[in-house]
Amino acid sequence: MTYPDTSFSRGILADLDAAPRPSAFYRALLPLIERLLSPTELELHQVWMKMEGGQPALVGELLRQVEALLAEIERQQESAREHARKFDELGRENKIRKMLAEQDQAEFREALDQVDEWKARVEELEDEVKMCRRHPLIVEKTPAGQLSLSQTRWMMDWRSQAGFKTQSALLRIMGNTGLGRVPVIREQAATYLGYSKPSAGGISKALAALEKLGLLTIRSAESGMQGRPPTLASLTELGQAAYIMLTNRPPQRSELETQASHVSDAHMLLNLEAADLLQQAGYEILAHGHRHYLDGVRQAVPDLTVYKDGEVIYIEVERSGKKSSRPEKWVNLCELTEGQIYVFCQYPRSQKQLAAEIQQALLDHHLACHLTLTNLADLRKGDRGPEESLWLEQIDL
């Protein structure tokens, strides 16, 4: 019988062949043999050993069992080593991932801190604006006992900038008057600041600076009027807050807010010019485009509502007399005013066209009326009606 040719097997064979009884080496192997073989198999093998030829058979079987056990041990050890390598690799990978995660978290936290800082600054600015728009503003006593307005950071920065005097003067003019027409603002600024003409460069620079600071919005009026459309300006929320910080009172409502009641910038500007002339003549402007409901369905919306000498007057301001027929407008206005219709026109020709249109509309509806008209072109030239009145024509129907 052939056995595995290993040093281990050769030692066992030599040891067993050298003595008729199990040697010390064989006895040392008995615990292993007992683990490998069942009690029945062990007893059988012991019988075989007493028989001639039994020892080689038992040794061969033993060697095969031992070799298989050693191979399994080696396989288990290699498997353990492989698991250890994978565990180490996984540990290193997890460590790297953990480091990257910590780095990402640090960068994320830094970004969050930056965002929180920005949010805090925005909230601070919003709080400043809200505080500035509250009335009355908080005042503080100086050590000398004088009262002074509490100032915000951006307001103090603005005060320290070159050009603040001219810029703040323009802001005051707009807030005091509600003016939004830049040519008119320029005129008042030139008078207030002592400039020789409204087009002075200092005023232009101040307007541009106010817009850059975010205190004004400036735009050109829409087309649809003769000549170059004028520039329009209005205070932003920050500009309104700055005005309050300068004066401790709210700004007047901008005249440009009347645009909602007009069909175009041209119509709005015509209304504003008419309002200027009326104020100069002693009229008080009560409303722009106030809506009146006559019977729940029909409406009358005069462009200007003014007051003088105890009388409220409703005025229509028309750019042209070439529109399509609009008899219901004049009928409704006649009913609202109890037959007293006032009309501002842009040109003398428009005045004639509108007079004819109104008369025809009221005659068709059998309505009596006292019609009072004027036009801005003649008024600009200095023409006036009886007793220096603004009204150049009166017609009884």
Side-chain angles (χ1 to χ4, degrees), residues 93-308:
E93 184 178 350
N94 287 339
K95 187 176 181 180
I96 293 172
R97 287 180 178 176
K98 184 177 180 182
M99 291 174 60
L100 292 175
E102 290 175 352
Q103 182 178 354
D104 290 342
Q105 288 177 359
E107 293 177 356
F108 182 67
R109 285 194 297 269
E110 183 179 351
L112 284 180
D113 292 341
Q114 183 66 56
V115 171
D116 290 340
E117 182 179 341
W118 290 338
K119 285 182 177 178
R121 180 57 181 151
V122 169
E123 290 174 359
E124 180 184 348
L125 289 174
E126 289 176 346
D127 289 342
E128 287 181 354
V129 172
K130 289 177 182 177
M131 185 274 290
C132 289
R133 300 189 73 180
R134 257 192 325 263
H135 310 298
L137 286 180
I138 299 172
V139 294
E140 299 172 347
K141 283 190 176 181
T142 64
Q146 298 175 341
L147 292 178
S148 66
L149 292 174
S150 59
Q151 301 292 305
T152 59
R153 185 186 308 169
W154 56 261
M155 187 68 182
M156 290 187 287
D157 291 343
W158 182 36
R159 285 181 180 277
S160 65
Q161 293 178 14
F164 169 76
K165 180 180 178 181
T166 306
Q167 294 165 23
S168 61
L170 285 170
L171 201 72
R172 286 175 182 270
I173 289 170
M174 292 183 64
N176 290 344
T177 62
L179 287 172
R181 293 163 289 169
V182 171
V184 182
I185 296 171
R186 283 179 173 276
E187 290 175 2
Q188 293 208 12
T191 301
Y192 179 80
L193 296 169
Y195 286 101
S196 59
K197 53 185 179 180
S199 60
I203 298 176
S204 299
K205 290 180 180 178
L207 285 168
L210 288 171
E211 184 179 26
K212 186 176 181 180
L213 287 168
L215 304 180
L216 292 186
T217 56
I218 298 177
R219 67 177 179 87
S220 294
E222 298 171 358
S223 59
M225 58 193 74
Q226 286 191 340
R228 183 179 179 181
T231 304
L232 308 176
S234 57
L235 296 177
T236 63
E237 286 196 355
L238 188 61
Q240 294 175 48
Y243 175 82
I244 295 168
M245 295 299 294
L246 289 170
T247 65
N248 196 27
R249 62 176 181 268
Q252 293 293 320
R253 180 173 179 262
S254 172
E255 63 183 11
L256 302 185
E257 293 182 26
T258 64
Q259 185 185 24
S261 62
H262 304 302
V263 295
S264 64
D265 280 346
H267 188 230
M268 175 190 69
L269 292 169
L270 197 60
N271 272 266
L272 293 176
E273 188 172 354
D276 288 344
L277 289 171
L278 288 164
Q279 286 179 309
Q280 293 169 14
Y283 290 86
E284 179 184 355
I285 307 300
L286 300 179
H288 287 260
H290 184 69
R291 189 175 302 274
H292 299 264
Y293 293 90
L294 303 178
D295 55 11
V297 177
R298 294 184 302 124
Q299 301 177 23
V301 190
D303 290 312
L304 294 172
T305 304
V306 301
Y307 177 83
K308 185 180 180 182

Side-chain angles (χ1 to χ4, degrees), residues 267 316-333 343 345 350 353-355 357-358 361-362 365:
H267 188 230
E316 278 294 328
V317 181
E318 298 292 344
R319 295 180 57 228
S320 171
K322 295 181 178 180
K323 292 184 180 179
S324 60
S325 179
R326 46 195 165 184
E328 66 282 353
K329 173 178 181 176
W330 304 116
V331 170
N332 293 347
L333 187 62
V343 180
C345 306
S350 302
Q353 292 171 337
L354 282 162
E357 177 186 322
I358 295 168
L362 298 183
H365 287 77

